[in-house]
Amino acid sequence: MQADVDKCRQQSQSELERIECCFRTADDFWLRMRDALSDHVFKNEAEEIDFFKNVKPLFTSQIELYTLIYQGMLFKPDADTIKIESFWESESGRLHRFCESKEAFIQYYKSGDTSLDRQYFLRDNNHPAPAPKIYDKNANFSTSHDGLVAALLAQEMYHEYTRAKLKELGWKGDCLS
């Protein structure tokens, strides 16, 4: 998947067309994986946890990332460098706001703790997200927290994207960490 996404990024189309290509590629790979695994029975709980905690978010985070980038490009102000810089500064803050709102889970996830993995990443314990993502309409192929992992990964990558946009503008702000 990553090689195909990289091909999209290198095409000589407009930035929006490249982003659309990356989104379609990530979405297509996820759909193919989901379909291929639709009848798969995990050998044990550890395999299921690993899939929903580590594997699935690698695919779905790409879908979320290119959705964020696409929205950013659509809502970015035109022409006024000060407004554009302010916009990308605000977008760069999304990661911080996300982390604040999901602090307990992110701390758990990043710490390497596994004590709640059965609750968070097994479908038997599934408490569906209040607003499932379009790629997660199949409740049999999601858990209560795999979407949060995907969202975190996407927010981290989007943060890097916004930093790059600010660098392109020659931004000299002091919160690019």
Side-chain angles (χ1 to χ4, degrees):
M1 175 182 79
Q2 203 56 54
D4 286 0
V5 166
D6 288 342
K7 286 179 190 172
C8 289
R9 287 187 191 142
Q10 296 168 6
Q11 293 177 359
S12 60
Q13 304 168 330
S14 73
E15 187 169 13
L16 279 177
E17 289 171 324
R18 286 191 302 272
I19 293 165
E20 289 170 354
C21 179
C22 291
F23 174 87
R24 281 191 310 274
T25 300
D27 188 54
D28 182 55
F29 270 87
W30 168 242
L31 292 175
R32 285 190 286 166
M33 174 178 264
R34 189 190 68 198
D35 291 347
L37 294 174
S38 65
D39 295 325
H40 178 74
V41 177
F42 293 103
K43 290 182 228 171
N44 53 43
E45 286 184 347
E47 185 181 67
E48 183 174 345
I49 288 169
D50 181 58
F51 177 79
F52 286 105
K53 184 177 183 180
N54 300 307
V55 178
K56 179 185 176 190
L58 293 177
F59 289 85
T60 55
S61 67
Q62 293 292 307
I63 296 168
E64 291 206 26
L65 170 64
Y66 290 107
T67 299
L68 288 168
I69 293 172
Y70 192 79
Q71 289 170 345
M73 294 304 296
L74 287 178
F75 292 107
K76 171 185 68 91
D78 289 329
D80 185 338
T81 306
I82 294 171
K83 287 180 181 177
I84 294 170
E85 185 177 289
S86 177
F87 173 80
W88 288 121
E89 266 186 273
S90 176
E91 288 295 287
S92 183
R94 288 176 71 126
L95 174 61
H96 178 73
R97 294 186 296 274
F98 178 81
C99 288
E100 279 186 335
S101 71
K102 309 294 184 205
E103 183 177 5
F105 174 74
I106 292 170
Q107 186 175 11
Y108 168 82
Y109 176 75
K110 289 194 173 255
S111 74
D113 188 357
T114 59
S115 62
L116 298 174
D117 280 3
R118 293 182 81 248
Q119 177 183 340
Y120 291 159
F121 301 108
L122 288 178
R123 292 171 293 174
D124 287 347
N125 300 326
N126 198 8
H127 303 286
K133 302 289 185 180
I134 191 73
Y135 56 79
D136 266 343
K137 294 294 184 190
N138 182 347
N140 293 327
F141 218 71
S142 63
T143 65
S144 61
H145 285 69
D146 67 80
L148 275 178
V149 175
L152 172 62
L153 297 174
Q155 288 291 340
E156 289 173 340
M157 291 181 282
Y158 186 63
H159 180 72
E160 293 304 314
Y161 177 85
T162 61
R163 288 179 56 184
K165 287 296 186 188
L166 286 166
K167 268 184 152 176
E168 286 174 14
L169 294 169
W171 191 67
K172 303 274 190 249
D174 51 329
C175 66
L176 279 181
S177 52

